[in-house]
Amino acid sequence: MSGTLALTEQLIARASVTPDDQHCQQLLIERLAAIGLACETIESHGVTNLWAVRRGTAGTAGKLLVFAGHTDVVPTGPLEQWTSPPFEPTQRDGRLYGRGAADMKTSIAGFVVASEEFVAAHPDHRGSIAFLITSDEEGPATDGTIKVVEALQARGERLDYCIVGEPTSSATLGDMVKNGRRGSMSGRLIVKGVQGHIAYPHLAKNPVHELAPALAELVAERWDDGNEYFPPTTWQVSNLHSGTGASNIIPGHAELLFNFRFSTASTVESLQSRVHAILDRHGVEYDLQWSISGLPFLTPRGDLSDALAKAISDETGVTTELSTTGGTSDGRFIARICEQVVEFGPLNASIHKIDEHIDVAFIEPLKNIYRRVLEQLVA
């Protein structure tokens, strides 16, 4: 059994359902401290975070490459639907099964073993290596990576490169790298009306009727055209509710929940102001509350994406594609203090599903790709 596979199985065997780390990070600390990384645990409201760093001989003049990821996993779902227990790593038919196999304990194991091999081969490496690991990525993400980023920001820590080990591959290992993510912004719109008897509409004010023309315009609006890396911004209704359930009552209010998935082609302020303008133009009486779960981030082609593309090609022969598809990730926080942030990891077809798995044949190549990037950027 390879060292990467063995460590992956050790991590899967710990039922670290968010935000309970189940001492996964302690296992990482033991391995990382042994190769000279100074390890610091940062706890916040039951969330365990790890910041570990090994400074290179060039000190602050050298580049700092960070491996980032999460030890927490999503809940298993119905246990009886799993072919084998989710926290008993099981190999069958060339695959390793277990919760977190793809998202993202294999990546973390790959980070660790790649770093061990790199340090053994280059004990006097010029650049620096760091790990930023949280147990709060699959949950609210309020006490995880963001807390470490805030602490590093307060210290003036400079991060040059960051690889987030999210499962980004689509059809085969290495075919896709994420160099950015769209932002996510939601709205809760309450349209005010006057409740009344449906036979006397002149004595009431139907909020659904008030909303309808504005809603049609919001649906038809083209918010932007996207850019080289991002598709156009989308606006979608997630819920629309009004009325008491009775067929003879005009409702007193209507509630609309909606969400923007937006790129760097738009800003929070521009999208919000345009929504308000449409509602105001149609004379809607309303209250609107906004919530932002993530801002967009983008890393244009540069040293990190080039090094990763070369490592993938050299290891697998695959030509990778840069993409910004998918939901949010902790890269959105790290991008605040790091100019070059990309995500790369195993296939994502089984993540969050029953019988989550990874092809065993991809485990060593994944680790080797991470090591090749270290050799290009840190040696």
Side-chain angles (χ1 to χ4, degrees), residues 342-357:
V342 299
E343 302 170 23
F344 171 65
L347 274 67
N348 54 28
S350 69
I351 62 174
H352 294 205
K353 293 183 179 181
I354 302 293
D355 284 348
E356 180 180 349
H357 61 269

Side-chain angles (χ1 to χ4, degrees), residues 297-316:
F297 76 92
L298 175 67
T299 297
R301 290 177 177 85
D303 296 345
L304 180 56
S305 60
D306 288 348
L308 189 50
K310 184 178 188 306
I312 292 169
S313 177
D314 289 348
E315 182 67 28
T316 68

Side-chain angles (χ1 to χ4, degrees), residues 232-280:
T233 291
T234 62
W235 184 89
Q236 288 289 314
V237 172
S238 57
N239 192 278
L240 175 59
H241 175 77
S242 188
T244 64
S247 63
N248 60 351
I249 300 176
I250 293 172
H253 73 277
E255 180 182 47
L256 178 76
L257 305 181
F258 62 84
N259 177 267
F260 277 108
R261 291 301 167 107
F262 64 105
S263 72
T264 53
S266 290
T267 65
V268 166
E269 295 75 18
S270 68
L271 295 173
Q272 289 184 358
S273 65
R274 288 170 66 184
V275 170
H276 283 284
I278 290 172
L279 294 170
D280 294 342

Side-chain angles (χ1 to χ4, degrees), residues 73-270:
V73 298
V74 295
T76 62
L79 292 175
E80 66 275 10
Q81 293 184 19
W82 284 74
T83 306
S84 53
F87 296 112
E88 291 182 14
T90 304
Q91 293 185 48
R92 60 178 181 272
D93 302 323
R95 292 173 171 175
L96 173 64
Y97 288 83
R99 176 58 87 220
D103 189 14
M104 55 178 287
K105 291 183 174 180
T106 303
S107 295
I108 291 176
F111 289 161
V112 172
V113 178
S115 298
E116 290 172 337
E117 293 179 356
F118 174 78
V119 169
H122 307 277
D124 298 321
H125 55 88
R126 287 181 50 80
S128 299
I129 308 168
F131 280 67
L132 196 171
I133 308 294
T134 184
S135 69
D136 182 37
E137 197 274 348
E138 299 290 9
T142 54
D143 291 283
T145 298
I146 182 62
K147 294 299 184 183
V148 182
V149 167
E150 289 172 351
L152 297 177
Q153 201 166 22
R155 301 172 191 175
E157 184 74 66
R158 176 175 61 90
L159 314 184
D160 296 291
Y161 310 119
C162 179
I163 298 176
V164 185
E166 289 292 341
T168 60
S169 299
S170 179
T172 190
L173 180 67
D175 60 357
M176 185 171 291
V177 169
K178 301 294 177 71
N179 66 322
R181 295 277 189 163
R182 294 178 296 174
S184 178
M185 177 169 62
S186 297
R188 180 175 181 264
L189 174 68
I190 303 295
V191 179
K192 302 174 182 180
V194 177
Q195 182 174 304
H197 196 295
I198 207 159
Y200 301 96
H202 60 289
L203 300 178
K205 182 181 180 182
N206 194 317
V208 178
H209 294 188
E210 296 293 310
L211 172 62
L215 179 57
E217 185 171 343
L218 288 166
V219 170
E221 185 77 359
R222 186 170 182 86
W223 302 97
D224 59 45
D225 295 320
N227 55 36
E228 178 186 358
Y229 298 101
F230 287 100
T233 291
T234 62
W235 184 89
Q236 288 289 314
V237 172
S238 57
N239 192 278
L240 175 59
H241 175 77
S242 188
T244 64
S247 63
N248 60 351
I249 300 176
I250 293 172
H253 73 277
E255 180 182 47
L256 178 76
L257 305 181
F258 62 84
N259 177 267
F260 277 108
R261 291 301 167 107
F262 64 105
S263 72
T264 53
S266 290
T267 65
V268 166
E269 295 75 18
S270 68

